[in-house]
Structure formats: structure tokens, C-alpha cells
């Protein structure tokens, strides 16, 4: 149970509840009318279903009304479940943040989005949602990002981070990975409110147990507040037969309860008492209620009781995360309430007119303002209290383009990444101060050791490093509020969730960060959806996948990534690089960091390798002008690494760890009288955009194609990468030349590097054969 709130300082409690009740009805109406207009009023020449979720909005109306029109402060942020988007727009309209005409644009081109979007909706949306579970977890990572920023660059303020989520979202593993992460237990500003309507898209969920959910949250250190029954039912429980009523409702299965919501009063009088020992006392209690009282009592749940919701907010413990399990009825107040197939159902014309009558609205003037009175005054007061000042954005510090040294010896691109971070801290300390790295417990195995030893690990409070005096300890785990590395548990979805929110601080609080997430490349597939959603929501970050490909031969097929290069090619809002040499890796890291924390910026993905490569093969020019030309080409997507004398018979375009094989193949081909150019591809995505631009299908720069693949050297192509071959297959369209794409198309094997390369047909022999076939040599 939660305690009662005291009288509101703004007005008496009953007057407040009355005003909130009027607003609640208007939010219900506006959300339903917005969906109705999109489907039945706005012209639809194609006849395709527009869609919308009137029932899903209705179950959230009471929760959202009490939050926005009583509880929230201007510093708070709220993530709203995807299908309640029209309810959010209705709230923003009542607060003066959205004109009435915008409510007619739901799901239209350029109009209100199907699901809340920070970057596409015209009204305030704190968190983009739409991919189930990801929007729910975003406020957790938003809270952590706010704490990180506030500890370094004051101005992010305080404020709670709310998530309004449907109970079906708790089926998503991403929710529980986030709830139990060790970093989360101390985030007292995080509040989840679960719309416990016991329905999913297709059905009433038969075995949903709030008690089980509560136990799982409590085990993770969360405060749990359960709002099951409203004031009317609570009062009935105190009457003769009331305990029998409570027992009956508590033990009733979800489908049976939902069926009661569809019953007439006469059917309720027969069904509600049941068949057991509760029947006789319940029949007597039910006999004391008229039809209206009985009808309202059976649906009087805590998630629709305005007073109970206010009391729950007052009981939140700000020293730990809180979840409010609010029992609700899906479709509450609509003719479809409680029906198992009401998820996307639309009210009929008659039902819509009836809703207008019950909510005091006009179907012929659906956007008419609230009449003058307490509810309208409360909306105006709250609009002033919730108004946020414009965010003053700070430009990120400049990032150097080149450290000016050339790596020698033998090294890997993964090692080069770790060195680049250390070099950045020496040559550009202001930019390095904005870097924050995040890892799912793989810091030491991805060459972050030197960086961690230098900057420390972030923690809200300082913790003792008990191994600081151990002579055999190489990685020093110093945890304090000034650290610049955040270590999460082994859950890639958590990492990219935090990465997205760290990458959004430039737009939320005007403080840009340069967030870098590091994970094993095979698990980029696992993390792709939440990272993609973070990019969609405006989060800018650098994701580093390492080690990658079958070039990690001892790990076998389970740890050998195949599709990640093509995923990087296809990801909107992201530039992908896969450098072959340490020098290229350094340049690409710096280029990626320069994209972050700015309105015209974007995210990046680096695919790195642990294969030792002779760095002299890079042939980095010594002349400063030639070096800068090479750097620009490497960052733009490709450069000519070796040019054959005269006109080439074939071009070998290779990427990443496979460049040594291409160079060796070029030597072999030369001995056979076949002249081969070797092009080092660093970014298939940038090259693809350039080829599209050449055809007028993109506005990307095209110059890199002319420099890496000059027309006077056009020749049949062999493309080569440690990943799916279709990633580079489009290069044949640059000059419409024949192309043989080589790569990895099936799960890998363990073994020695040469054995694995031979198995997949990406070894030097395979490149030579493919080139000879293309040139029709005997």
C-alpha cells in the first residue's frame, strides 16, 4: 500500500481530482479522435490500412494525465510506450505544445509519427520508442548519461527518468538485462510505470503474475509499488462479503476477469460470485449494488484511480529505481474495453459519437478547446511549469585529423585503436576529455588497457581498488566519478542502449560527448537493433567491433562474424570503416570522432582485426602533401595501394585483414604476366553512396571513385573481404566491369589461418584463380 498525499498546494485534493478527471476525459477523446481522423476522415487514395491503437491509448490515459498535469517537473523526462503515441500528442496539445491542426496528421507523410520520435515529431518527445523493450530501457541509460554529464559539465540538472511501458514489453529480454545490470541499482531517478492491462496484441495473457514480476524487480534492488484496486473496490472490500470479493478477484485468472468486462449487469450478477465458497457472501454483496455501481466496480483498478496514482508518485523512493505495477483495462472507457482483439480496433461511427457524449466533446468539432474552468486553468499552469528553456549547445572540441607519425613493424588495427585513444589524450586533451568508452566486460581483450589505466573507470562514488598494490596486476581498475570508461555486465544490448543516450547528450543538455562502444564483432548482430534505434533517436556514437571475421580462426564459427560488413554498409545514419593498416585505423578513428556531438553529425562503426600485419605494406607516403591525399582517400572509402605498370588486366579490391592476400596475389599474377592493380577499400558504405551519387541518386561526394578507380584503369574486378562477398559486389558498377566477389558465405571452422582462408576461398590461391578466370588466361 502507498500513503495518501496531503492536500495539493495548488487546490484542494477533491478539486484537483475533479480537474484531473476532466483532463483525463479530454485526453481519452483526443487520442481516439486523432486515430479516427487518420482512418476515417483524412482522404486515403490507396485504401491501405492507416492503423492506430485507441485501446492502447485508453489504458494509459489516467497514468499520463496524473503525470503531466500534476507530477512532472521541467527536468523530468518520459518514455511513452509506442502505441500510446496519440495520447502523448493529446497531452502536448493540451499543454499548448502542438496545434490542433497537427492532430489531423497522424501517420501522414511529414506528420505525427506512428510511434513517438525525438527527431521526427514536431512536439516534445523525450525518448523515441517503437521497438518493443528498447524505449522502456532508454530512461535507464538516459539517467546514467545525465549523471555522467553532470559530473563533468554541470548543467544537465536533476529530474526523474520515467518509462511508461506495456506489460507485454516485459517479455523482452532487453528489459531484464537492463533491470539487473549492476550499474542500475543506484539510479534512484529511474521510475517505470507498467500498464498492467494483461493483454498482448492477440490475446489475454493467461498467466501474467504481478507477484512474480514484483519479485524479479525486488531481487534486482528496485522499489515495487503495486496499484491493483481503486477507491470504489477498496471500499467494497470493507463491507460484509468484501473479503470474499477480494479473494475472488485475487484468485481469478486473467481471461476470466477480462470476460467479466464484457458482461451485462445481469451476467455479472451470475458470473462474479463464482461457484466456490465465495458465492453466497458475494451474491449478498452484489445484491446491494445497482447496475451502474456493479458495472463500474468490476473495472475499478488502481491504474485508473487518479488519487491512487498521485499517492504512488508521492511514495517513490529516490534512492533506488522504482517500478509501479498499475493494473489497468485495455480500452478503458471505450466500447472495446477488455476485448481480447481490441489492440488495433476502431470505434464505429455510433460508438465514436457515444464517446463524444460521455467525454463532453463534439464529433463535429473534435479539437474544440476545454471550456473555461478549473481543468483549462490547470492545463495553462502546468504548461508554464513544464516549459523548458532552449538548449544552448556547445560545439565539440576539434579532433585532429592526423597525429603525424607512421606506424612501423608488425601490428593490428585493434592495437592501433587503443593507441589512437592514448595519442588523442596527449595531442588533443580537450577532445579526449569528452571521450567516454563503454564495454560489456571485454575491455582488456579489446586493447583498452592503456586507456583505462590512464583515465580510470566511471562510478558514481569512489571505490577501493584492492589490487592496486598487486605487482602482477597490469590493468588498474580505479573506479571514481572522474573515470571515462563505463563497464557494464555482459549484455551488448545494454552497451548500445547506453551508447545511444551518451550520444544524445549534445541535444538533450547541450553537452557533446564522444562515446565509443567496444564489443566483439560477432555480437554486433545482437546489438544492432537497439543501436540502430539509438541512431534513429539522434544518438551519435562510435561502435567498434573487434576482433572480427574468420581471421579469428581458433574461435570457430560461433565467434566469426560474416554479415557485419554488409550491415554497416546498409545502416542509415552511420559511416562504416574497416581499415587494413594501423595508419588507416588511426585516421578512421579520428574521422569518426569528428562526426560526433553535432547537429550535422552522425554515428560510425569500425570493424577491426587482431591479425598482425606488416605495416610497411601500407606504403604510407613520406611527402606531407601525398600523405594528406592518402588520408583523405582512406577516410573517403578507398585508395590505390599498388598500381601495375601500364594498363592493368585486373583490379583486386580488398578490405581489412585481406589486403595482404591481395598484395600477394598481385605478385603471383605479375609472375604470370597478368598486371594487377590493388585497391584498399576502407568504407564500402561511402563508396556505395558515391556510386549512387554518380547516378543522381545521392548527394554524396564522388571524387573518391575517380581517384581509387580511375576510368583509364578500368579492368575486371576481384573483390575480397573477410565477410559476406555481396558487400563489395557493387564495385563492378563503377565502370560496368565484370566482377568476381570473394568472401565468406557459410559458418566458419576452427583451425590455422591459412586453413580457414583456404576453406572459405579467400586465400591467395583463390584470388589468383579468380583473376585468371576473369582475364581468360590459360
Amino acid at each position: 500500500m502507498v500513503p495518501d498525499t496531503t492536500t495539493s498546494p495548488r487546490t484542494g485534493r477533491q478539486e484537483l481530482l475533479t480537474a484531473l478527471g476532466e483532463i483525463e476525459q479530454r485526453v481519452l477523446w483526443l487520442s481516439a479522435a486523432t486515430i479516427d481522423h487518420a482512418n476515417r476522415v483524412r482522404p486515403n487514395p490507396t485504401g491501405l490500412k492507416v492503423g492506430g491503437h485507441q485501446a492502447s491509448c485508453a489504458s494509459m490515459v489516467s497514468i499520463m494525465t496524473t503525470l503531466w498535469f500534476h507530477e512532472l517537473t521541467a527536468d523530468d523526462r518520459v518514455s511513452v510506450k509506442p502505441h500510446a503515441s496519440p495520447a502523448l500528442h493529446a497531452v502536448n496539445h493540451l499543454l499548448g505544445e502542438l496545434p490542433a491542426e497537427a492532430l489531423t496528421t497522424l501517420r501522414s507523410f511529414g506528420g505525427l509519427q506512428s510511434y513517438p520520435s525525438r527527431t521526427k515529431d514536431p512536439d516534445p518527445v523525450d525518448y523515441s520508442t517503437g521497438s518493443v523493450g528498447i524505449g522502456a530501457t532508454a530512461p535507464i541509460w538516459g539517467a546514467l548519461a545525465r549523471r555522467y554529464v553532470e559530473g563533468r559539465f554541470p548543467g544537465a540538472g536533476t529530474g526523474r527518468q520515467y518509462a511508461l511501458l506495456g506489460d507485454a514489453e516485459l517479455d523482452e529480454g532487453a528489459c531484464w538485462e537492463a533491470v539487473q545490470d549492476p550499474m542500475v541499482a543506484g539510479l534512484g531517478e529511474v521510475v517505470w510505470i507498467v500498464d498492467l492491462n494483461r493483454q498482448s496484441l492477440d490475446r489475454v495473457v493467461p498467466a501474467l503474475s504481478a507477484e512474480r514480476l514484483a519479485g524479479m524487480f525486488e531481487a534486482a534492488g528496485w522499489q515495487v509499488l503495486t496499484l491493483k484496486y481503486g477507491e470504489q473496490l477498496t471500499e467494497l472490500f470493507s463491507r460484509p462479503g468484501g473479503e470474499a470479493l477480494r479473494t475472488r478477484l485475487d484468485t481469478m485468472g486473467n481471461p476470466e476477469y477480462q470476460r467479466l468486462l464484457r458482461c451485462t449487469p445481469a451476467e455479472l450478477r451470475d458470473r462474479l460470485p463464482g461457484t466456490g465458497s465465495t458465492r453466497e457472501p458475494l451474491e449478498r454483496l452484489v445484491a446491494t449494488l445497482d447496475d451502474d455501481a456493479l458495472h463500474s466496480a468490476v473495472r475499478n483498478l488502481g491504474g485508473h484511480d487518479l488519487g491512487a496514482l498521485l499517492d504512488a508518485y508521492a511514495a517513490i523512493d529516490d534512492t533506488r529505481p522504482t517500478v509501479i505495477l498499475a493494473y489497468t483495462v485495455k480500452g478503458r472507457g471505450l466500447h472495446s474495453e477488455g476485448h481480447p482483439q481490441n489492440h488495433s480496433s476502431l470505434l464505429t461511427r455510433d460508438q465514436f459519437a457515444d464517446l463524444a457524449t460521455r467525454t463532453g466533446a463534439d464529433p463535429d468539432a473534435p479539437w474544440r478547446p476545454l471550456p473555461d474552468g478549473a481543468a483549462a486553468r490547470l492545463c495553462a499552469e502546468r504548461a508554464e511549469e513544464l516549459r523548458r528553456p532552449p538548449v544552448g549547445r556547445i560545439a565539440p572540441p576539434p579532433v585532429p585529423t592526423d597525429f603525424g607519425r607512421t606506424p612501423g613493424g608488425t601490428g593490428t588495427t585493434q592495437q592501433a585503436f587503443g593507441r589512437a585513444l592514448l595519442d588523442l589524450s596527449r595531442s588533443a586533451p580537450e577532445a579526449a576529455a569528452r571521450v567516454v568508452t563503454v564495454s560489456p566486460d571485454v575491455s582488456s581483450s579489446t586493447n583498452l588497457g592503456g586507456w583505462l589505466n590512464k583515465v580510470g573507470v566511471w562510478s558514481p562514488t569512489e571505490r577501493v581498488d584492492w589490487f592496486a598494490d598487486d605487482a602482477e596486476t597490469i590493468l588498474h581498475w580505479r573506479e571514481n566519478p572522474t573515470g571515462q570508461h563505463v563497464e557494464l555486465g555482459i549484455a551488448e544490448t545494454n552497451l548500445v542502449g547506453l551508447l545511444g543516450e551518451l550520444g544524445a547528450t549534445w541535444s538533450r543538455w547541450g553537452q557533446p560527448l564522444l562515446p565509443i562502444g567496444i564489443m566483439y564483432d560477432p555480437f554486433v548482430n545482437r546489438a544492432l537493433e537497439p543501436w540502430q534505434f539509438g541512431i534513429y533517436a539522434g544518438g551519435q556514437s562510435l561502435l567498434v567491433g573487434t576482433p572480427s571475421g574468420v581471421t579469428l580462426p581458433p574461435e570457430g564459427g560461433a565467434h566469426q562474424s560474416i554479415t557485419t560488413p554488409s550491415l554497416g554498409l546498409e545502416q542509415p545514419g552511420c559511416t562504416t570503416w574497416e581499415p587494413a593498416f594501423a595508419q588507416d585505423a588511426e585516421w578512421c578513428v579520428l574521422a569518426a570522432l569528428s562526426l560526433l556531438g553535432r547537429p550535422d553529425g552522425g554515428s560510425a562503426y569500425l570493424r577491426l582485426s587482431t591479425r598482425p600485419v606488416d605495416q610497411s605494406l601500407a606504403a604510407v607516403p613520406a611527402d606531407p602533401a601525398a600523405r594528406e591525399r592518402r588520408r583523405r582517400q582512406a577516410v573517403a572509402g578507398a585508395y590505390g595501394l599498388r598500381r601495375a605498370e601500364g594498363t592493368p588486366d585486373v583490379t583486386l579490391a580488398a578490405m581489412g585483414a585481406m589486403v595482404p592476400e591481395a598484395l600477394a596475389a598481385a605478385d603471383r599474377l605479375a609472375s604470370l604476366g597478368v598486371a594487377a592493380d590493388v585497391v584498399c577499400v576502407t568504407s564500402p558504405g561511402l563508396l556505395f553512396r558515391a556510386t549512387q551519387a554518380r547516378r543522381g541518386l545521392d548527394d554524396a561526394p564522388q571524387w573518391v571513385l575517380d581517384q581509387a578507380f580511375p576510368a583509364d584503369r578500368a579492368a575486371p574486378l576481384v573483390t575480397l573481404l573477410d565477410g559476406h562477398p555481396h558487400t563489395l559486389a557493387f564495385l563492378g558498377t563503377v565502370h560496368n566491369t565484370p566482377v568476381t566477389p570473394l568472401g565468406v558465405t557459410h559458418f566458419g571452422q576452427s583451425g590455422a589461418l591459412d586453413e580457414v582462408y583456404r576453406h572459405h576461398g579467400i586465400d591467395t590461391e583463390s584470388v589468383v584463380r579468380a583473376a585468371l578466370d576473369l582475364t581468360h588466361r590459360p
Side-chain angles (χ1 to χ4, degrees):
M1 296 297 291
V2 294
D4 288 340
T5 53
T6 58
T7 301
S8 166
R10 185 183 296 112
T11 184
R13 181 172 173 95
Q14 189 52 53
E15 288 80 0
L16 171 64
L17 293 177
T18 299
L20 288 173
E22 187 176 346
I23 296 171
E24 173 191 37
Q25 290 300 296
R26 185 52 58 99
V27 174
L28 175 64
W29 164 257
L30 288 172
S31 60
T34 298
I35 297 168
D36 182 82
H37 188 280
N39 286 273
R40 292 209 169 99
V41 180
R42 193 172 65 225
N44 181 9
T46 66
L48 294 173
K49 175 185 174 182
V50 176
H53 303 85
Q54 291 174 329
S56 294
C57 289
S59 64
M60 289 293 296
V61 161
S62 307
I63 294 168
M64 296 177 69
T65 297
T66 50
L67 261 185
W68 266 269
F69 296 96
H70 182 268
E71 188 64 22
L72 293 182
T73 71
D75 284 336
D76 296 338
R77 299 291 186 272
V78 188
S79 168
V80 177
K81 75 173 188 178
H83 294 154
S85 173
L88 175 60
H89 298 311
V91 166
N92 282 333
H93 170 65
L94 292 175
L95 291 172
E97 298 282 3
L98 191 68
E101 55 268 24
L103 297 176
T104 68
T105 67
L106 179 70
R107 299 190 173 205
S108 67
F109 184 78
L112 298 178
Q113 299 301 296
S114 306
Y115 311 120
S117 172
R118 283 192 74 225
T119 56
K120 296 181 180 294
D121 275 319
D123 54 332
V125 174
D126 294 329
Y127 290 98
S128 296
T129 59
S131 189
V132 174
I134 295 174
T137 61
I140 289 178
W141 312 122
L144 204 155
R146 186 204 61 77
R147 287 196 182 198
Y148 185 91
V149 169
E150 183 64 19
R152 280 168 176 71
F153 316 106
T158 57
R160 288 175 178 165
Q161 303 285 323
Y162 290 90
L164 311 183
L165 61 152
D167 50 10
E169 284 193 82
L170 293 177
D171 290 345
E172 291 289 342
C175 290
W176 298 109
E177 287 183 344
V179 164
Q180 61 80 43
D181 192 275
M183 273 290 183
V184 173
L187 298 177
E189 63 268 46
V190 171
V191 180
W192 281 16
I193 304 176
V194 180
D195 172 18
L196 204 70
N197 60 46
R198 294 174 277 189
Q199 286 187 234
S200 61
L201 190 150
D202 292 326
R203 60 174 183 159
V204 177
V205 180
L208 178 66
S209 169
E211 292 77 13
R212 178 175 59 85
L213 293 176
M216 294 167 71
F217 278 104
E218 287 171 347
W222 288 50
Q223 177 192 24
V224 178
L225 303 174
T226 301
L227 298 182
K228 189 168 187 179
Y229 300 118
E231 182 179 359
Q232 184 182 3
L233 272 176
T234 301
E235 190 277 326
L236 285 178
F237 294 155
S238 66
R239 296 187 190 182
E243 281 303 315
L245 176 60
R246 181 191 290 273
T247 299
R248 172 83 169 109
L249 291 175
D250 283 346
T251 57
M252 184 181 294
N254 295 334
E256 183 182 5
Y257 171 76
Q258 295 284 114
R259 183 63 184 89
L260 293 181
L261 300 175
R262 311 293 301 165
C263 290
T264 64
E267 292 171 328
L268 270 177
R269 295 182 190 281
D270 178 59
R271 287 178 181 247
L272 180 58
T275 58
S277 60
T278 60
R279 183 169 184 84
E280 185 175 341
L282 270 181
E283 284 180 330
R284 290 196 297 269
L285 176 59
V286 166
T288 67
L289 305 176
D290 61 29
D291 286 353
D292 289 342
L294 181 59
H295 179 271
S296 63
V298 77
R299 51 192 32 81
N300 180 231
L301 300 180
H304 299 299
D305 189 298
L306 302 178
L309 286 163
L310 297 183
D311 294 342
Y313 304 149
I316 291 172
D317 176 4
D318 286 320
T319 67
R320 53 181 173 149
T322 294
V323 61
I324 300 173
L325 301 175
Y327 281 76
T328 60
V329 173
K330 191 167 183 176
R332 177 66 151 51
L334 306 179
H335 284 261
S336 61
E337 65 179 3
H339 194 281
Q341 279 87 54
N342 66 6
H343 182 75
S344 57
S345 64
L346 286 172
L347 296 176
T348 66
R349 290 289 188 195
D350 290 342
Q351 291 169 348
F352 188 65
D354 179 65
L355 178 65
T357 300
R358 289 187 286 109
T359 58
D362 183 352
D364 296 322
W367 324 119
R368 186 180 63 191
L370 281 167
D372 291 340
R377 289 194 298 274
L378 180 56
C379 288
E381 291 172 12
R382 292 297 290 158
E384 285 299 315
E385 293 168 358
L386 295 176
R387 186 163 290 119
R388 298 169 185 163
V391 174
R393 293 174 182 165
I394 297 173
V399 176
T401 58
D402 191 347
F403 293 132
R405 60 172 177 77
T406 303
T410 299
T412 74
T413 53
Q414 178 177 288
Q415 292 168 342
F417 164 69
R419 283 198 304 269
L421 292 182
L422 292 174
D423 286 344
L424 184 69
S425 66
R426 289 188 285 265
S427 63
E430 289 188 4
R434 298 271 173 174
V435 171
V436 52
T437 54
V438 188
S439 171
D441 201 39
V442 293
S443 301
S444 58
S445 57
T446 54
N447 279 92
L448 277 185
W451 169 256
L452 262 66
N453 286 342
K454 182 174 181 61
V455 303
V457 178
W458 182 82
S459 172
T461 58
E462 187 159 2
R463 297 174 180 171
V464 176
D465 180 6
W466 293 104
F467 287 85
D469 59 350
D470 188 327
E472 296 183 6
T473 298
I474 299 175
L475 183 64
H476 300 291
W477 207 259
R478 295 180 290 106
E479 297 180 85
N480 55 63
T482 64
Q484 289 180 245
H485 174 78
V486 182
E487 187 85 357
L488 300 177
I490 306 176
E492 285 78 13
T493 55
N494 287 350
L495 178 143
V496 294
L498 176 56
L499 207 58
E501 292 306 317
L502 290 168
T505 59
W506 67 273
S507 58
R508 288 197 194 282
W509 301 294
Q511 291 289 354
L513 296 176
L514 308 181
I516 304 173
I518 305 95
M519 66 174 65
Y520 289 166
D521 194 68
F523 307 133
V524 167
N525 289 304
R526 180 185 301 172
L528 185 65
E529 184 196 4
W531 189 54
Q532 174 177 281
F533 214 76
I535 295 175
Y536 170 77
Q540 299 173 0
S541 60
L542 168 56
L543 183 64
V544 178
T546 183
S548 64
V550 300
T551 299
L552 192 65
E555 297 286 345
H559 274 191
Q560 295 174 351
S561 51
I562 297 172
T563 62
T564 48
S566 59
L567 292 175
L569 165 68
E570 296 157 8
Q571 174 58 48
C574 168
T575 301
T576 301
W577 284 286
E578 185 170 343
F581 302 106
Q583 183 63 79
D584 297 348
E586 173 193 297
W587 287 335
C588 292
V589 167
L590 296 175
L593 292 177
S594 71
L595 296 174
L596 306 179
R598 41 194 290 177
D600 60 343
S603 293
Y605 161 51
L606 256 68
R607 190 174 188 253
L608 304 181
S609 173
T610 51
R611 183 187 184 184
V613 172
D614 178 1
Q615 298 302 305
S616 68
L617 295 176
V620 178
D623 179 81
R627 178 188 177 95
E628 173 59 15
R629 183 173 184 265
R630 166 71 70 84
R631 185 199 67 80
R632 290 181 69 244
Q633 291 172 340
V635 169
Y639 59 88
L641 180 57
R642 183 184 294 180
R643 299 297 192 196
E645 291 187 12
T647 303
D649 299 306
V650 67
T651 297
L652 310 179
M655 186 166 74
M658 304 310 304
V659 169
E661 270 60 40
L663 291 170
D667 291 338
R668 289 270 300 277
L669 289 167
S671 69
L672 297 172
V674 178
D677 280 357
V678 178
V679 176
C680 181
V681 174
T682 53
S683 176
L686 292 177
L687 294 184
F688 181 76
R689 288 196 61 192
T691 60
Q692 292 290 86
R694 180 172 283 182
R695 294 166 175 78
L697 301 176
D698 202 315
D699 59 358
Q702 307 171 35
W703 62 265
V704 67
L705 296 179
D706 297 326
Q707 294 190 10
F709 301 95
D712 62 351
R713 300 190 70 81
L717 271 166
V718 176
T719 64
L720 178 66
L721 76 155
D722 184 357
H724 200 284
H726 98 280
T727 308
L728 297 181
F730 72 90
L731 289 176
T733 68
V734 173
H735 295 301
N736 295 319
T737 55
V739 59
T740 298
L742 301 180
V744 181
T745 57
H746 49 277
F747 293 118
Q749 299 285 337
S750 296
L753 192 63
D754 57 344
E755 294 173 321
V756 170
Y757 280 0
R758 190 179 308 115
H759 171 73
H760 289 285
I762 55 176
D763 59 329
T764 300
E765 293 279 343
S766 298
V767 178
V768 170
R769 284 197 301 270
L772 293 175
D773 288 342
L774 275 176
T775 57
H776 305 293
R777 297 301 175 96

